[in-house]
Amino acid sequence: MTAAPPSAAYLYERVRRVIPPIEWPAFSDDIDAILALKRERNAVILAHNYQTPEIFHCVADIVGDSLALARKAMDVDADIIVLAGVHFMAETAKLLNPDKTVLIPDLEAGCSLAESITAQDVRLMRQRYPGVPIVTYVNTSAAVKAESDICCTSGNAKKVVESLGVPRVIMLPDEYLARNIAAETDVEIIAWTGHCEVHERFTPADIRDLREAHPGVIVLAHPECPPDVVAEADFSGSTAAMSDYVGREKPKRVVLMTECSMSDNVAVEHPEVDFIRPCNLCPHMKRITLANIRSALKENRHSVTIDPQVADRARRAVERMLAI
Ligand code: 13P
Ligand code: SF4
């Protein structure tokens, strides 16, 4: 077995259960450089729960689900924020930190949900359903947020919908999240037809097969999964809610119906839990690597900019959500 080099070796202890020793030398040089660049440039790294363990556990300062990243972005005391996640997350951080530099290491790190709807689509929905409030998932562009009344994440969608005190809302763009929330509330929900390309691929048959192969396994599903998948699961919640469930309930054996890195990251904290790992990769999240985080910090790229007129309206929708 190849020994970890001495420099970032102490960090290897955190991830040794999910990164084989032979892979570590390929990471440690970038990790050392990133840690030094963060100090030099007064930068922090925010990483989503779907980032790979060498990013999530070794260079990130703040980790979490989309809601936590948005909340914690407001308290950042640094000149530069590097968003290890997808573009809409970087835009949200920029909306909340207009005077800071927000960097996304790869501009192509998108999201099938954000791609599924335009600002013009939202304006047409408003015309079609006059007076019905528009709740927009954070997995959207700033331009789409700017046309909305309030944002939500998978962690607070029900709360946001019910906070409006109306019998009917429009919820964009994730059809499955909208239908999963509709099943939990009396508020009528008008949905769009966007889907997450990662979660839409799970099926109820996958869960039945898993239960047969691993008797007693506890199944957790993200609410971007189709409603028939959520119905077969033992629990559904945001990435943070799934992680909290594992910490709280300590199931003997668990499966997370979500993106692949999530199990690795949670497994690091819970060596006593057996993780069964059928999962789907998010190609957008996987565009972020140690190498491009290092380049981002060194070369100040890619700096997120948002048209100020769009930004003011989009910020209102995000801040309204955060006030709940
Ligand atoms: P969370 O808000 O649950 O972290 O989800 C974000 C996401 O992109 C899920 O696919
Ligand atoms: Fe978008 Fe789905 Fe990837 Fe999340 S997992 S960033 S919703 S494509």
Side-chain angles (χ1 to χ4, degrees), residues 256-323:
L256 310 183
M257 308 298 282
T258 191
E259 212 275 338
C260 299
S261 292
M262 178 79 196
S263 289
D264 286 342
N265 290 332
V266 184
V268 165
E269 312 283 351
H270 301 288
E272 72 287 7
V273 178
D274 179 17
F275 286 79
I276 312 295
R277 295 164 192 247
C279 60
N280 292 326
L281 276 173
C282 173
H284 312 289
M285 288 279 178
K286 270 26 269 188
R287 281 185 171 272
I288 308 300
T289 62
L290 287 174
N292 60 24
I293 292 174
R294 181 176 177 173
S295 309
L297 278 165
K298 213 166 150 193
E299 292 157 29
N300 221 33
R301 66 175 194 198
H302 304 272
S303 185
V304 175
T305 53
I306 306 171
D307 174 329
Q309 283 190 352
V310 169
D312 285 346
R313 292 185 295 133
R315 187 179 306 110
R316 266 199 297 276
V318 175
E319 285 178 344
R320 206 172 157 200
M321 165 185 86
L322 293 174

Side-chain angles (χ1 to χ4, degrees), residues 244-253 269-270 272-273:
D244 290 349
Y245 181 102
V246 174
R248 190 176 63 244
E249 304 292 332
K250 304 225 178 331
K252 204 160 159 285
R253 191 172 272 182
E269 312 283 351
H270 301 288
E272 72 287 7
V273 178

